[in-house]
Amino acid sequence: MQKFPISEEFALKQTSPKILGSGVITGGDKVISAYDLVEQMEYLYVRIVKAKELPAKDVTGTCDPYVEVKLGNYKGVTKHFEKKSNPEWNLVFAFAHDQLQASHVEVVVKDKDVVLDDFIGRVFFDLVDIPRRAPPDSPLAPQWYKLEDKKSEKLKKGEIMLAIWKGTQADEVFSDAWHSDAAAVGSDGVSKIRGKVYLSPRLWYLRVNVIQCQDLLLSDKTRAPEVCVKVILGNQALKTKISSVKSVNPSWNEDLVFVVAEPFEEPLVITVEDRVGPNKDEVLGRCVMLLNGVSRRLDNKPVPAKWHNLEKHAVVEGQHKEAKFSSKIHLRISLDGGYHVLDESTYYSSDYRPSSKLLWKSSIGILEVGIISATGLSPMKSKDGRGTTDAYCVAKYGPKWVRTRTIIDSGSPKWNEQYTWEVFDPCTVITVGVFDNGHLQGGKDISIGKVRIRLSTLETERVYTHSYPLIVLTPSGVKKTGELHLAVRYSCTSYINMLHKYTHPLLPKMHYVHPLSVTQLDVLRYQAIQIVSARLGRAEPPLKKEVVEYMLDVGSHIWSVRKAKANFVRIMSVMSGVIAVAKWFDQICQWKNPLTTILIHILFVILVFYPELIFPTLFLYLFFIGIWNYRSKPRHPPHMDIRLSNADAVGPDELDEEFDTFPTSKSSDLVRMRYDRLRSIGGRIQTVIGDLAMQGERFQSLLSWRDPRASALFVTFCFFAASVMYVTPFWIVTLVLGFYVLRHPKLRSKVPPLSANFFKRLPARTDLML
């Protein structure tokens, strides 16, 4: 395979972080082995639980208390409670060890006031006296502490319950804590920068088989009805074709497929309509059903069909009295659990399991990813007249999405967060994206770049520590927006089961037994993405729609001249091996190297006399090639290649076309120019396809007697060839043909051979083309 050199700026670099998993650290606390793929970060944790019997400072006998935790220049503040002497906060503050600027921690309880907050009491802790804790130790129990006044004297009333300890990011309170590196974020915005784990909803394909209707009530009985059925599920709406049976008992037997997510919240609305005029439909009846009672199937065996009543007004089935007479519709509705609902591109998919858990197999391994840090991130927005970035990472594998905490105002953020996924198929891809948090300014989250890692390219039990360049394509060209430092380990629980996976089909069985069309899959994938982004957008903090769509590669199928050129280069790279063999064989036939040609003659004679050696020789040759290539096998995971993507040589107009909206928003003159260019490209493709079709039609015309003389010559040749090969041993025929092909150039004619001349004279259907 041809390799494309890339610039050092866009190259993958191996790193050596100080992590336990890489073997760099020889000592240290082995208890935190669960976080052995990230650098250890020290934190001081202060957990404010509650207070009691706080003294009042006003005439009402109550106070509006809140707590300040001070450590040097950093200050964390809880929310305040109105008129409450026994408040409860249960909030954790985390101060990074490299930001400690004092020798003590001060916890101050204050009374909220309009003008100036009143001091209630405080507690001091020296840093040297604070205990250290590391999981899996149990959480440190909070204790009551007497409040002191400004003279360090104990108050008669007023206590605060808190716990204070030193720990690392492995602590279970880390993700929900207030962090000192986000001190500039107000209390309302803290929840928007925390790290979270999300789960995609379990998706199903809902198949509605519309069979027939009976006893439809028409407003105009003098005309033949044109009836169709419209099915609506949430934002999805599909229609059957107009029935070919023009009566009050129309039939269709047509399947409509939708995407639904657990829990099933949206009802299924079925409407029967009659086309009474252009763009005018008359509703003949409706039926509304809830999906909780729909049958679930694991294979292609049909579920029982049922008759349903049609009402003029939508009524939920089962919630009304049985009517004496009503039109009916015959439906077969099922939730197909044997399919995998595609929300990702098939090639980049991170999961291939079917919807039904009853069909799931056991896991074959564990994937661990340490999101260590990023460097050199490009500024994504302006703040106080300077560029800044509030970066966070999102990693997606299977139904599990993880989001790191947001590091405020840093071009080189350090997350050092580690996550784990179960692996059910080695031929899957994990995607890690870096984004700028726009919620703090009320805007959208901007994508900085993403990394894809295919698990099948990783060796098991090995830790990969690399710096991945974040590469994006902008209207001005390809751009590097920073580097993401990751540590990845793929551990295999059963090597036999993992190898056995390579013999299984990629998708579940139903995709092959009862396949969906390509058009259906594209539409259903779009609907699946909309459902997933809507559900994740309702979480707290929300995973925004633009983030989900970027991670799932929405719009990757849109036409691009750059991608077309890149794919052509890929095809030529694949064919380069075949072309090289063809050129080498031509040199053998032309006797460019007589010694090599003579050796080929000897090998040919051996294989003719011992044909049983042909396949063993072929597979042994491939075996030695594989062993030889093992020396130079890839040592690093693959990463995005700007040269292979044709991103470094793309023109400005082609980039402008690639980033154009769909439908286009450009001027008519520019669209006309691009259309003419597309016609030119299509014309060349059309010529090549026409030439291929012509060669195939010439083969067909050999025995079609379209050219009677040519067919007569070919039939006569076939008869004599059959006679000669019947009386002549096969090895003699093979030797003669082989020596003829390998004959010396002095025995060759400069004009094309007789067979080529005869073939090019055969007729094709090109003559019939307009």
Side-chain angles (χ1 to χ4, degrees):
M1 183 180 293
Q2 184 177 352
K3 294 183 179 180
F4 298 88
I6 57 177
S7 169
E8 184 67 24
E9 179 186 5
F10 298 98
L12 187 71
K13 303 181 184 70
Q14 189 165 4
T15 58
S16 299
K18 297 179 180 179
I19 62 177
L20 291 173
S22 66
V24 174
I25 296 180
T26 56
D29 193 355
K30 298 296 182 181
V31 179
I32 61 167
S33 59
Y35 270 65
D36 61 344
L37 295 184
V38 292
E39 296 178 346
Q40 183 173 322
M41 299 178 69
E42 299 286 342
Y43 284 91
L44 173 66
Y45 291 101
V46 181
R47 185 188 197 114
I48 306 297
V49 182
K50 57 185 176 180
K52 67 178 182 180
E53 299 179 355
L54 295 179
K57 297 295 183 179
D58 57 9
V59 294
T60 62
T62 60
C63 60
D64 303 335
Y66 69 92
V67 177
E68 282 184 358
V69 181
K70 296 181 180 180
L71 182 62
N73 294 329
Y74 292 95
K75 179 174 68 175
V77 183
T78 67
K79 64 180 180 180
H80 77 279
F81 292 95
E82 294 186 0
K83 303 186 182 305
K84 199 167 185 180
S85 300
N86 300 304
E88 292 188 15
W89 293 282
N90 200 24
L91 183 63
V92 179
F93 297 88
F95 297 89
H97 184 268
D98 55 0
Q99 296 174 343
L100 301 182
Q101 302 172 343
S103 59
H104 63 273
V105 182
E106 184 179 3
V107 180
V108 183
V109 182
K110 291 187 176 182
D111 183 10
K112 190 74 174 177
D113 197 7
V114 178
V115 181
L116 182 65
D117 296 347
D118 294 326
F119 175 88
I120 296 179
R122 65 183 179 183
V123 180
F124 274 101
F125 298 93
D126 289 330
L127 294 184
V128 294
D129 297 331
I130 295 175
R132 180 176 181 79
R133 173 191 175 260
D137 293 350
S138 298
L140 196 66
Q143 301 179 29
W144 286 104
Y145 294 89
K146 282 273 190 180
L147 294 178
E148 301 175 353
D149 59 16
K150 293 183 179 180
K151 299 179 181 179
S152 299
E153 296 180 358
K154 301 290 184 181
L155 298 178
K156 294 182 180 180
K157 294 177 62 178
E159 293 181 71
I160 185 170
M161 177 183 280
L162 59 86
I164 184 169
W165 71 95
K166 294 177 181 178
T168 67
Q169 73 269 37
D171 204 294
E172 61 271 7
V173 301
F174 174 79
S175 59
D176 292 327
W178 173 95
H179 289 266
S180 57
D181 53 13
V185 180
S187 57
D188 296 335
V190 170
S191 63
K192 307 301 180 184
I193 64 174
R194 285 174 175 164
K196 288 293 179 182
V197 176
Y198 308 83
L199 289 177
S200 294
R202 190 141 61 100
L203 303 177
W204 294 71
Y205 283 145
L206 175 70
R207 188 182 297 272
V208 181
N209 178 224
V210 183
I211 303 174
Q212 60 180 338
C213 287
Q214 280 189 357
D215 303 326
L216 295 179
L217 300 177
L218 305 177
S219 59
D220 184 2
K221 299 182 179 180
T222 61
R223 52 176 288 275
E226 297 182 359
V227 184
C228 67
V229 177
K230 181 167 71 174
V231 183
I232 300 176
L233 181 66
N235 296 325
Q236 307 172 66
L238 294 176
K239 262 187 180 182
T240 66
K241 298 176 182 176
I242 293 178
S243 174
S244 57
V245 180
K246 311 293 184 182
S247 71
V248 295
N249 301 315
S251 61
W252 295 272
N253 197 25
E254 188 174 337
D255 280 352
L256 304 177
V257 184
F258 301 84
V259 179
V260 294
E262 292 184 352
F264 305 125
E265 300 172 345
E266 301 285 350
L268 187 67
V269 182
I270 299 168
T271 308
V272 181
E273 298 177 346
D274 180 17
R275 178 68 54 85
V276 297
N279 300 322
K280 185 178 180 182
D281 297 327
E282 178 187 353
V283 177
L284 302 180
R286 286 192 178 91
C287 178
V288 181
M289 284 176 284
L290 301 178
L291 299 181
N292 294 324
V294 173
S295 302
R296 305 187 183 194
R297 65 173 187 170
L298 307 181
D299 49 27
N300 63 332
K301 294 179 181 178
V303 300
K306 295 181 181 179
W307 288 97
H308 304 269
N309 293 332
L310 292 172
E311 309 286 347
K312 279 293 183 181
H313 303 285
V315 178
V316 178
E317 192 172 68
Q319 298 183 5
H320 64 284
K321 295 182 179 179
E322 189 69 28
K324 294 182 179 179
F325 174 83
S326 66
S327 303
K328 293 183 179 294
I329 185 170
H330 200 201
L331 301 172
R332 180 179 285 110
I333 305 176
S334 63
L335 287 164
D336 291 355
Y339 292 95
H340 170 71
V341 181
L342 294 167
D343 58 348
E344 303 168 286
S345 171
T346 308
Y347 187 72
Y348 296 137
S349 184
S350 59
D351 190 13
Y352 295 109
R353 290 176 295 170
S355 299
S356 176
K357 287 186 176 181
L358 299 176
L359 299 176
W360 289 4
K361 306 295 184 183
S362 59
S363 63
I364 61 170
I366 298 293
L367 173 65
E368 299 166 276
V369 177
I371 303 176
I372 300 174
S373 63
T375 55
L377 296 184
S378 300
M380 293 290 119
K381 54 181 175 280
S382 179
K383 180 180 179 181
D384 298 331
R386 59 183 179 85
T388 183
T389 302
D390 303 329
Y392 69 91
C393 285
V394 174
K396 197 261 184 205
Y397 184 78
K400 179 179 175 180
W401 301 64
V402 300
R403 168 181 176 155
T404 67
R405 70 191 191 282
T406 301
I407 305 299
I408 302 299
D409 194 12
S410 175
S412 300
K414 291 184 178 181
W415 294 285
N416 284 303
E417 299 183 23
Q418 184 171 334
Y419 299 96
T420 304
W421 290 266
E422 280 189 299
V423 178
F424 295 88
D425 195 311
C427 301
T428 46
V429 176
I430 181 173
T431 304
V432 184
V434 184
F435 300 89
D436 174 65
N437 194 330
H439 183 84
L440 302 175
Q441 286 74 31
K444 288 187 174 183
D445 290 1
I446 305 173
S447 57
I448 301 176
K450 64 183 170 186
V451 173
R452 294 192 192 99
I453 303 174
R454 183 170 293 275
L455 269 60
S456 58
T457 63
L458 305 178
E459 297 179 14
T460 56
E461 313 301 335
R462 176 184 168 187
V463 177
Y464 290 84
T465 55
H466 290 86
S467 172
Y468 296 82
L470 299 174
I471 305 171
V472 294
L473 192 65
T474 65
S476 59
V478 66
K479 179 183 178 183
K480 179 181 175 181
T481 55
E483 295 184 358
L484 179 63
H485 299 261
L486 299 177
V488 181
R489 178 171 57 210
Y490 170 39
S491 305
C492 177
T493 55
S494 175
Y495 201 77
I496 298 298
N497 291 342
M498 182 182 67
L499 295 181
H500 188 52
K501 275 290 181 182
Y502 282 86
T503 65
H504 289 187
L506 196 62
L507 293 169
K509 183 179 178 181
M510 279 292 288
H511 285 271
Y512 307 98
V513 175
H514 197 174
L516 300 169
S517 67
V518 175
T519 304
Q520 271 184 308
L521 288 174
D522 287 342
V523 174
L524 293 172
R525 184 190 170 213
Y526 172 78
Q527 297 295 343
I529 292 174
Q530 299 307 307
I531 292 174
V532 171
S533 61
R535 288 286 180 91
L536 297 181
R538 286 157 50 183
E540 185 62 35
L543 206 56
K544 293 189 177 180
K545 182 178 181 180
E546 58 268 21
V547 174
V548 176
E549 291 184 346
Y550 180 74
M551 295 289 289
L552 296 180
D553 271 337
V554 173
S556 59
H557 62 285
I558 300 297
W559 160 259
S560 164
V561 176
R562 175 189 63 83
K563 292 180 182 178
K565 290 180 178 179
N567 288 332
F568 176 76
V569 173
R570 290 172 61 195
I571 292 175
M572 295 307 297
S573 175
V574 170
M575 297 298 296
S576 62
V578 178
I579 296 171
V581 172
K583 289 180 178 179
W584 172 79
F585 186 72
D586 182 66
Q587 292 177 354
I588 295 296
C589 296
Q590 298 296 331
W591 290 68
K592 297 292 185 181
N593 189 334
L595 179 60
T596 304
T597 304
I598 292 172
L599 291 175
I600 293 297
H601 276 78
I602 296 172
L603 177 62
F604 174 69
V605 172
I606 293 173
L607 294 178
V608 168
F609 280 99
Y610 301 97
E612 65 274 11
L613 296 179
I614 293 176
F615 283 108
T617 302
L618 174 63
F619 286 114
L620 189 63
Y621 176 68
L622 295 177
F623 169 77
F624 281 118
I625 290 179
I627 295 299
W628 180 263
N629 289 341
Y630 181 81
R631 303 177 306 108
S632 57
K633 70 173 182 177
R635 303 292 178 181
H636 310 298
H639 188 53
M640 296 177 186
D641 189 335
I642 62 170
R643 180 66 52 81
L644 181 63
S645 306
N646 196 38
D648 59 339
V650 63
D653 182 65
E654 294 175 358
L655 279 173
D656 185 60
E657 179 183 16
E658 184 167 346
F659 283 92
D660 192 8
T661 57
F662 188 86
T664 182
S665 58
K666 301 298 180 181
S667 64
S668 57
D669 291 339
L670 187 58
V671 173
R672 186 180 297 110
M673 183 273 292
R674 290 174 178 171
Y675 174 65
D676 291 340
R677 180 176 64 192
L678 188 59
R679 289 177 64 191
S680 176
I681 297 173
R684 279 175 264 172
I685 297 174
Q686 170 186 287
T687 302
V688 174
I689 294 175
D691 289 341
L692 293 175
M694 182 172 61
Q695 306 306 325
E697 290 167 353
R698 282 174 173 170
F699 272 108
Q700 292 178 342
S701 67
L702 286 170
L703 297 173
S704 68
W705 296 90
R706 180 72 272 179
D707 184 341
R709 285 164 295 279
S711 293
L713 285 172
F714 182 70
V715 169
T716 304
F717 167 77
C718 290
F719 177 75
F720 281 105
S723 302
V724 171
M725 296 187 72
Y726 180 75
V727 299
T728 308
F730 180 73
W731 64 270
I732 294 179
V733 176
T734 306
L735 274 179
V736 171
L737 288 177
F739 286 140
Y740 175 76
V741 172
L742 297 171
R743 68 192 183 278
H744 196 275
K746 290 184 178 180
L747 302 177
R748 297 178 184 273
S749 174
K750 293 185 179 181
V751 298
L754 182 147
S755 58
N757 295 333
F758 177 77
F759 183 75
K760 288 182 179 179
R761 290 178 178 274
L762 293 172
R765 301 180 70 182
T766 309
D767 307 335
L768 309 180
M769 297 286 291
L770 291 175

